[in-house]
Amino acid sequence: MKLASLCSDQPDGRLIVVSRDLSLVADASAIAPNLLTTLQQWETTAPALQKLYDRLNAGDCPDAQAFDAQACAAPLPRAPQWCDASAFLNHGRLMEQAFNSEPIPLFDTVPVMYQGASDDFLGPTTDVPLPREEHGIDFEGEFGVIVGPVPMACSAAQALASVRLVVQLNDWSLRALGPHEMKTGFGFLQAKPSTSFAPVAVTPDELGAAWLNGRVHLQLHVEWNGAHFGHPHGGEMNFGFGELIAHAARTRRLSAGTLIGSGTVSNVARSAGSACIAERRVIEMIDLGKASTGFMQFGDRVRMQARFEDGTAGPFGVVDQRVVEYQP
């Protein structure tokens, strides 16, 4: 099934069910007021939501409304926890070159992950206010999963079974602030503004064969100011989501609603392009001796849409946002 959250006067939004073709929605607040409650009470809410979803797809919801992405918040407007990995090793190795940093120990065998802010996720069409262009504004296209309760020290297989929903996201970065924070050893803080999400979260079965080995086998098409930027494939993750969730839960349990990100989608083949500017810049440095692509400026737009192998639109909808100068 496909779920989304309408913007409302409540911080967690209002839960809706979205039709398979993303054309219609049905109010689901009688089943659960919001998605976080849905995840916390999954055993009782999921069956009822599935019935509503089936009715909506069968044309049996007389009160159905047209789907409007602009009315949507992030599927989960705020979460108990947000842990983002760097599961595409090609991207990680390129970033080591970009930051001229020492190779990360055990990078091939132990996932790299940081804990981001989860209190202010952005919807798919919301303007993104940031303080300064000089901070090196960059987008990062990713996939993610939202889990139910995960026990401490679980196996990767147990962890993968906890996945409730799959999402598409844009993990914004401020590249000029990143190097200092990395050198402190305490991880990112100022370099990571609020993360944005495509409007629709889907159960893994909606992906069909594109959900395989804990990976999203879709291309993530990225446009910057209307120009094609890249279409890397999510299947090239070196660590699957089961391994990433288990890594996060190694020494603590995870509560229902925790989000785990894949890190920037990245492919070894240069023909796939990139899902972030920093990766393109380091490729330019490797190939041409210097970077020629600048970072985003106020007024710039980024559009992201996952697509199936045949080019048809994926199940998450579209992220289409403009960067603007923050006004106090």
Side-chain angles (χ1 to χ4, degrees):
M1 60 186 164
K2 298 183 178 181
L3 303 173
S5 296
L6 291 179
C7 297
S8 76
D9 57 359
Q10 298 300 309
D12 295 307
R14 181 159 60 90
L15 183 65
I16 55 173
V17 170
V18 185
S19 64
R20 182 167 286 114
D21 63 0
L22 304 187
S23 65
L24 297 172
V25 303
D27 179 39
S29 58
I31 298 172
N34 53 62
L35 185 55
L36 184 57
T37 300
T38 298
L39 293 158
Q40 293 168 336
Q41 303 173 9
W42 188 257
E43 287 71 22
T44 56
T45 58
L49 290 169
Q50 183 66 52
K51 290 180 180 178
L52 179 59
Y53 181 64
D54 293 340
R55 288 175 49 210
L56 181 62
N57 288 315
D60 190 26
C61 286
D63 295 330
Q65 302 289 322
F67 174 65
D68 179 8
Q70 293 187 352
C72 290
L76 197 60
R78 56 180 183 169
Q81 189 170 197
W82 159 227
C83 298
D84 196 21
S86 182
F88 293 86
L89 299 193
N90 180 66
H91 175 77
R93 293 189 177 108
L94 288 171
M95 290 303 99
E96 288 176 353
Q97 296 183 58
F99 293 119
N100 194 28
S101 58
E102 292 294 323
I104 297 171
L106 305 177
F107 189 48
D108 292 352
T109 56
V110 179
V112 174
M113 187 174 288
Y114 81 93
Q115 189 171 42
S118 61
D119 61 328
D120 185 32
F121 290 144
L122 302 179
T125 63
T126 305
D127 282 348
V128 180
L130 294 170
R132 296 180 62 185
E133 292 177 338
E134 293 80 5
H135 287 163
I137 303 168
D138 198 356
F139 47 80
E140 291 194 64
E142 305 186 18
F143 295 110
V145 295
I146 307 174
V147 301
V150 180
M152 185 190 306
C154 63
S155 68
Q158 290 173 315
L160 189 60
S162 74
V163 172
R164 300 288 184 258
L165 298 166
V166 185
V167 294
Q168 175 196 314
L169 60 103
N170 179 7
D171 183 43
W172 292 96
S173 286
L174 300 177
R175 297 298 187 183
L177 304 180
H180 169 74
E181 293 190 325
M182 292 175 69
K183 290 176 182 177
T184 66
F186 276 74
F188 296 122
L189 181 67
Q190 294 177 348
K192 286 295 184 180
S194 297
T195 304
S196 303
F197 289 80
V200 181
V202 307
T203 49
D205 60 288
E206 291 290 335
L207 296 173
W211 178 248
L212 179 66
N213 297 324
R215 294 162 171 83
V216 179
H217 287 255
L218 299 176
Q219 291 182 339
L220 185 56
H221 286 252
V222 180
E223 296 177 6
W224 180 11
N225 290 332
H228 177 74
F229 194 83
H231 56 275
H233 194 278
E236 209 166 296
M237 278 175 74
N238 295 79
F239 300 102
F241 277 111
E243 295 166 286
L244 298 183
I245 299 164
H247 176 79
R250 182 182 180 188
T251 59
R252 55 182 169 178
R253 63 186 181 181
L254 308 181
S255 59
T258 295
L259 265 154
I260 306 291
S262 67
T264 305
V265 180
S266 178
N267 293 171
V268 172
R270 299 281 179 85
S271 58
S274 299
C276 76
I277 300 170
E279 184 172 298
R280 174 178 282 190
R281 284 172 55 86
V282 74
I283 290 172
E284 290 171 345
M285 287 189 280
I286 293 169
D287 292 350
L288 306 173
K290 65 177 182 178
S292 59
T293 302
F295 291 108
M296 298 185 79
Q297 297 181 334
F298 296 138
D300 282 4
R301 301 193 72 92
V302 62
R303 186 182 192 274
M304 299 181 180
Q305 181 185 38
R307 298 181 189 173
F308 289 99
E309 300 286 354
D310 61 2
T312 57
F316 308 108
V318 176
V319 172
D320 188 357
Q321 292 183 297
R322 183 181 60 151
V323 175
V324 299
E325 184 175 9
Y326 170 69
Q327 299 295 331

